[in-house]
Amino acid sequence: MNTENQHYDVVIIGAGPSGAVAASLLVKRGWQVLVLEQQLFPRFSIGESLLPQCMEYLEQAGLLELLHSNAAALGFQFKNGAAFQRSGEHASIDFTEKFSQGPGTTYQVKRADFDKCLADGAAQQGAEIRYQHTVVAYHNLAEGAQLEVKDQQQNNYKVTARFVLDASGFGRVLPRLLDLEQPSNFPVRSAFFSHFKDGIVDDSFDRNKILINVHPIHKDVWYWLIPFSDGTASIGVVAEPTRFAKDVESLSCLNDFIEQDPFLAQLLNKREAIGAARSISGYSANVKSLVGNNFALLGNAGEFLDPVFSSGVTIALKSASLIAPLVDSHLRGEEVDFVADYSKPLQSGVDCFRTYVSAWYDGRFQDVIFYTEQNHQVREMISAILAGYAWDTENPFVKQSERRLTTLVALCQS
């Protein structure tokens, strides 16, 4: 590779969903785009249960048909909602019955294959992607930035760009390099998870929905069960670190928690783990700013809340959808207010999700979900948010999320 300085209109750090969508949107507008990805695809990632709102952003980027055409072969599972279980209480949300306009169905995906599918689509549209290339330094320039990059042979080279997008997810490259990180206001939590041959034979189990299961004793501990169409599933448990025994192997820890819940233990009594289990801790994150001189942070590189309502990929794709036309205008010499037109709109939806995530952990939103006398119209408004439509301010539960939810909780608990 030519190690002399190379120049692009846009350099994107990370080839995950937000990077692939942003790259696709920008090459469609005629810009020369380079994507630098530290890992080799396919590679494992969590965040496997998409929300229907994602489908609009994939369609904007010209990637939706690629997803549809590969879904069956890759074991992706049609998804139309979410199911909930708490000590014998059952509830479900159908995303096709929602307040907001837009798709009501999506997929549960194996992220290694999903991410590679989108990245391949972005490359087919004209984005250049370099795998196993790591950004190690960032320097501001008068009209852009210079990145120092290390390739797979540990050779260093430099790239300049008129604009840089950080789509590095949990890698959080620019937040680390530019000292943008700040603590999340969420408690530190850990997750243990793995893929299984699930062996589920219960005919009442709906594979078209993610199952969110509350621990029978600790309401702040929950499990995900994400079925795929090939008889496998992603299973995980989330709790504050003090709930987990120290020095216990990850799969043993996960299996022990599954056995603590009678419903899950019975449903999954024929499960077989596929490979080792994994764990992550302290994944909730925040930053001082989502934008700076000639750069912006996308998706998890900016802020990650919590996996409970599968909002991560939706926020990532929303960020790509919002930023691409602004970068396009900026590159054309137009005046752009990235804070007003990117940071604030993106944050409004993140804050809506935050309301419901926080209320899930303190039990208030759980009481709403399991309430048996739900108003149909309110139910559709809540369904829209859980389907990812957290930016639809026509929905009162989006526009005034905290106040409306507090009122609803009071009604359900009275």
Side-chain angles (χ1 to χ4, degrees):
M1 177 184 296
N2 177 13
T3 57
E4 293 184 12
N5 194 61
Q6 306 160 47
H7 182 73
Y8 291 81
D9 295 312
V10 181
V11 170
I12 299 174
I13 306 171
S18 63
V21 167
S24 297
L25 291 169
L26 287 165
V27 295
K28 283 158 69 81
R29 288 169 166 81
W31 301 110
Q32 190 177 19
V33 177
L34 171 65
V35 182
L36 298 169
E37 168 56 50
Q38 181 176 11
Q39 295 181 281
L40 184 65
F41 280 22
R43 54 87 178 96
F44 186 89
S45 181
I46 59 170
E48 299 148 316
S49 195
L50 305 183
L51 302 182
Q53 172 75 92
C54 292
M55 309 301 266
E56 287 192 337
Y57 306 135
L58 294 176
E59 186 170 31
Q60 290 172 13
L63 298 170
L64 186 57
E65 285 308 312
L66 186 65
L67 173 60
H68 287 322
S69 62
N70 284 280
L74 296 176
F76 298 168
Q77 171 68 47
F78 173 84
K79 176 186 176 184
N80 62 10
F84 301 84
Q85 196 280 144
R86 182 180 68 178
S87 298
E89 296 178 281
H90 296 269
S92 64
I93 297 287
D94 186 335
F95 291 156
T96 66
E97 299 174 358
K98 62 180 181 358
F99 174 86
S100 303
Q101 297 297 309
T105 63
T106 185
Y107 293 102
Q108 295 173 157
V109 301
K110 299 179 182 184
R111 280 289 301 278
D113 295 326
F114 173 74
D115 289 11
K116 186 176 187 304
C117 180
L118 298 191
D120 287 350
Q124 290 165 13
Q125 294 189 65
E128 179 184 347
I129 303 180
R130 297 178 188 170
Y131 293 100
Q132 296 179 290
H133 285 235
T134 303
V135 175
V136 296
Y138 176 98
H139 306 287
N140 279 313
L141 301 177
E143 295 185 356
Q146 180 189 74
L147 302 178
E148 295 183 29
V149 186
K150 189 182 294 291
D151 68 16
Q152 62 267 51
Q153 282 82 40
Q154 302 301 302
N155 298 314
N156 288 340
Y157 66 95
K158 296 177 181 178
V159 176
T160 57
R162 297 173 63 193
F163 206 90
V164 176
L165 296 174
D166 185 351
S168 60
F170 291 122
R172 298 169 64 77
V173 172
L174 290 189
R176 286 188 294 103
L177 293 177
L178 301 179
D179 190 29
L180 298 174
E181 294 187 296
Q182 65 180 29
S184 170
N185 56 7
F186 277 167
V188 173
R189 294 190 175 91
S190 298
F192 287 78
F193 50 92
S194 189
H195 282 186
F196 292 79
K197 294 180 181 177
D198 58 63
I200 296 173
V201 295
D202 185 344
D203 291 338
S204 67
F205 179 71
D206 187 352
R207 298 191 73 89
N208 294 339
K209 293 177 174 64
I210 181 177
L211 173 64
I212 297 174
N213 192 92
V214 182
H215 191 277
I217 299 173
H218 308 295
K219 68 182 180 182
D220 62 324
V221 178
W222 64 278
Y223 310 77
W224 75 72
L225 171 52
I226 301 171
F228 304 120
S229 65
D230 58 3
T232 65
S234 173
I235 303 171
V237 60
V238 176
E240 293 187 23
T242 54
R243 301 283 191 201
F244 298 112
K246 294 182 178 180
D247 302 321
V248 176
E249 189 268 331
S250 294
L251 184 59
S252 296
C253 180
L254 176 56
N255 277 320
D256 177 63
F257 266 84
I258 292 171
E259 293 301 319
Q260 290 176 30
D261 186 273
F263 175 80
L264 277 186
Q266 175 60 35
L267 182 68
L268 297 169
N269 64 357
K270 298 182 185 300
R271 69 188 182 276
E272 296 177 26
I274 303 171
R278 301 165 186 257
S279 65
I280 57 173
S281 186
Y283 41 73
S284 295
N286 204 346
V287 291
K288 299 171 185 174
S289 174
L290 291 173
V291 297
N293 290 331
N294 302 308
F295 75 83
L297 311 180
L298 305 186
N300 296 350
E303 179 167 7
F304 181 73
L305 296 175
D306 190 271
V308 65
F309 298 128
S310 307
S311 61
V313 175
T314 303
I315 293 170
L317 299 190
K318 175 67 174 182
S319 68
S321 174
L322 275 174
I323 200 67
L326 301 177
V327 172
D328 176 63
S329 295
H330 172 78
L331 294 177
R332 296 183 190 282
E334 300 171 19
E335 192 71 28
V336 177
D337 187 335
F338 283 98
V339 172
D341 296 335
Y342 174 66
S343 296
K344 289 183 178 179
L346 181 64
Q347 194 65 48
S348 69
V350 173
D351 288 344
C352 176
F353 280 126
R354 186 194 313 277
T355 296
Y356 293 91
V357 170
S358 298
W360 172 265
Y361 279 104
D362 66 29
R364 293 179 300 140
F365 191 47
Q366 293 182 28
D367 291 341
V368 171
I369 290 292
F370 292 105
Y371 187 63
T372 57
E373 300 176 20
Q374 296 179 356
N375 175 279
H376 182 71
Q377 186 179 30
V378 171
R379 180 184 175 86
E380 289 187 342
M381 292 174 181
I382 297 297
S383 175
I385 294 168
L386 296 184
Y389 294 90
W391 292 268
D392 179 9
T393 55
E394 296 297 314
N395 183 344
F397 284 85
V398 169
K399 188 173 184 179
Q400 299 174 311
S401 59
E402 187 63 49
R403 187 172 76 82
R404 290 279 184 168
L405 179 59
T406 297
T407 301
L408 183 59
V409 168
L411 289 172
C412 293
Q413 292 179 341
S414 62

